Amino acid sequence: MESVNSLIRKNIRDLKPYSSARDEFEGDDAVFLDANENPYFRPLNRYPDPRQRHLKKVISDMMQLPADNIFAGNGSDEAIDLLLRAFCEPGTDNVVAPDPSYGMYEVAAAINGVEYRKAELDDDFSLNTEALREVADDNTRIIFLCSPNNPTGNSFRRSEVLGVLDWFSGILVIDEAYIDFTGTQAFIGDVLTIPNMVVLRTLSKAWGRAGIRLGMAFAGREIIDVLNKIKPPYNVNSLTIDEAVRTLQDHMLKDQVVAEIVDTRSMLSERLKSLPFVKKVYPSDANFILVKVDDAGDLYSYLVSRNIIVRNRSSATGCSNCVRITIGSRAETDILLDALGRYERSHDKHS
Ligand SMILES: *Cc1c(COP(=O)(O)O)cnc(C)c1O
């Protein structure tokens, strides 16, 4: 297999990174006159630690992975962007992902001038590895697999994901944004033995901290080193670091909330199946459900008129007349179910 280093764009390999004033110094009891900070207004007068050592120690303890295998970013969206910048030559290289999948891969590729290629999923949304293989070529640098997949909700089979590595030696990114909502085995433990695999995690979903913007990438040293080399020095701010540390120390609370959401998901899924205008409720390993209905546009507008916002995914491949419904609180789910009942009754009258 090619080494990861040989996959890095030449300008990035040759890059001399910005060295920030605080890079060389550890400790916080010195007289800091190096960064043109304001001496007043402590503690937020200081730039955050560009290496995020404290945060990474907490993540490392929780994930049982060395800090050197962790990248922390301004949301996973930052990691996605940096991976494209590190490994893909604009105008030449391409990336591949199943279709439909998370919309940011395509947008981030387009921003970076990198061709985005879609490989269709099977009818039941399981991974079609033949399609992936057909779409990929010698210039494919990254394959993004989101599992559980957004917006379809299903997880890909472990053997099929690992099978990709038999013929692909670029960077395989597994986006585990929704992994806490499923019992399926995660890939995070594999990054120490598979040098070209990256696993993405986020505090935005199960941890309930979308507002602070913290994403993580886990991978072998070579990949983490290049992400650190090209990231903006202060990409994770002090408020986010502090709140992330607090959040990660209460995983019991996270587990409780996840259990509640998973419960609500099965209740909602059963109730949806009993509604006549619902054609199909796709099984979900995530905190949302994809639902095929008679007329997604009509249902969407009705719900908006009642101040309930879902996502109309009708334009996604294989998702005609599908809406994606996020699992809310019990109270929000009751409001939704009440509105769906009313929609059904008004439907009845008109047909
Ligand atoms: C929500 C989501 C994320 C999270 O992105 P952040 O930038 O960390 O908020 C990542 N991947 C997928 C597939 C998602 O749906």
Side-chain angles (χ1 to χ4, degrees), residues 277 291 293-314 321-325 336 339-340 343 347:
F277 62 85
V291 190
V293 297
D294 280 338
D295 185 340
D298 187 57
L299 174 63
Y300 175 82
S301 312
Y302 177 83
L303 289 174
V304 168
S305 78
R306 304 198 63 93
N307 235 353
I308 300 170
I309 319 300
V310 298
R311 192 92 197 265
N312 185 352
R313 297 275 57 198
S314 293
N321 279 317
C322 285
V323 293
R324 191 193 70 192
I325 304 176
L336 170 73
L340 292 173
Y343 178 71
H347 218 57

Side-chain angles (χ1 to χ4, degrees), residues 88-114:
C88 304
E89 200 59 53
T92 309
D93 293 334
N94 67 72
V95 299
V96 170
D99 183 33
S101 195
Y102 183 41
M104 271 311 289
Y105 309 140
E106 182 165 10
V107 173
I111 289 170
N112 285 293
V114 172

Side-chain angles (χ1 to χ4, degrees), residues 32-290:
F32 287 115
L33 304 175
D34 56 343
N36 299 348
E37 294 154 335
N38 188 315
Y40 307 109
F41 307 105
R42 285 166 198 235
L44 290 177
N45 62 323
R46 298 293 175 205
Y47 282 102
D49 174 11
R51 292 195 256 164
Q52 303 128 354
R53 281 164 288 207
H54 180 44
L55 174 61
K56 283 185 186 167
K57 168 103 184 47
V58 174
I59 299 172
S60 162
D61 290 345
M62 191 182 63
M63 296 298 185
Q64 299 293 301
L65 280 176
D68 287 343
N69 297 96
I70 302 168
F71 167 83
N74 184 5
S76 347
D77 289 351
E78 181 175 39
I80 293 165
D81 178 63
L82 293 179
L83 285 163
L84 284 155
R85 289 206 249 169
F87 294 104
C88 304
E89 200 59 53
T92 309
D93 293 334
N94 67 72
V95 299
V96 170
D99 183 33
S101 195
Y102 183 41
M104 271 311 289
Y105 309 140
E106 182 165 10
V107 173
I111 289 170
N112 285 293
V114 172
E115 186 192 350
Y116 183 79
R117 297 186 176 187
K118 301 172 178 183
E120 63 188 28
L121 291 170
D122 284 334
D123 287 342
D124 64 353
F125 298 134
S126 57
L127 198 61
N128 182 335
T129 45
E130 278 315 301
L132 276 182
R133 196 171 182 164
E134 258 166 47
V135 165
D137 66 11
D138 288 346
N139 290 324
T140 301
R141 291 288 172 269
I142 302 177
I143 295 180
F144 290 100
L145 298 180
C146 181
S147 182
N149 189 36
N150 180 2
T152 58
N154 59 306
S155 305
F156 299 138
R157 269 194 291 281
R158 183 175 172 82
S159 55
E160 287 182 337
V161 170
L162 291 175
V164 170
L165 295 167
D166 294 342
W167 51 266
F168 180 65
S169 53
I171 306 295
L172 180 63
V173 178
I174 318 285
D175 189 339
E176 295 189 334
Y178 299 99
I179 194 73
D180 295 274
F181 301 103
T182 164
T184 58
Q185 198 190 337
F187 282 95
I188 195 162
D190 297 287
V191 299
L192 295 184
T193 49
I194 305 177
N196 57 331
M197 179 183 277
V198 180
V199 169
L200 300 179
R201 294 282 182 100
T202 178
L203 292 203
S204 298
K205 308 289 157 63
W207 293 96
R209 290 293 184 282
I212 72 171
R213 313 303 303 129
L214 188 86
M216 295 158 281
F218 300 87
R221 240 344 247 283
E222 288 174 297
I223 294 177
I224 297 300
D225 285 353
V226 71
L227 295 180
N228 283 331
K229 181 175 173 184
I230 66 175
K231 78 181 179 70
Y234 308 111
N235 62 327
V236 183
N237 72 73
S238 309
L239 298 171
T240 294
I241 290 175
D242 289 351
E243 181 59 23
V245 165
R246 264 197 299 278
T247 300
L248 291 166
Q249 275 159 351
D250 202 350
H251 72 90
M252 305 273 281
L253 179 63
K254 184 263 288 179
D255 292 346
Q256 267 173 27
V257 164
V258 165
E260 172 88 12
I261 290 169
V262 167
D263 252 26
T264 308
R265 181 180 73 199
S266 29
M267 184 271 284
L268 176 61
S269 164
E270 287 314 307
R271 297 283 296 273
L272 287 168
K273 283 175 190 164
S274 69
L275 293 166
F277 62 85
V278 169
K279 292 296 152 231
K280 188 170 172 65
V281 179
Y282 290 90
S284 172
D285 280 340
N287 68 337
F288 56 81
I289 305 179
L290 189 72

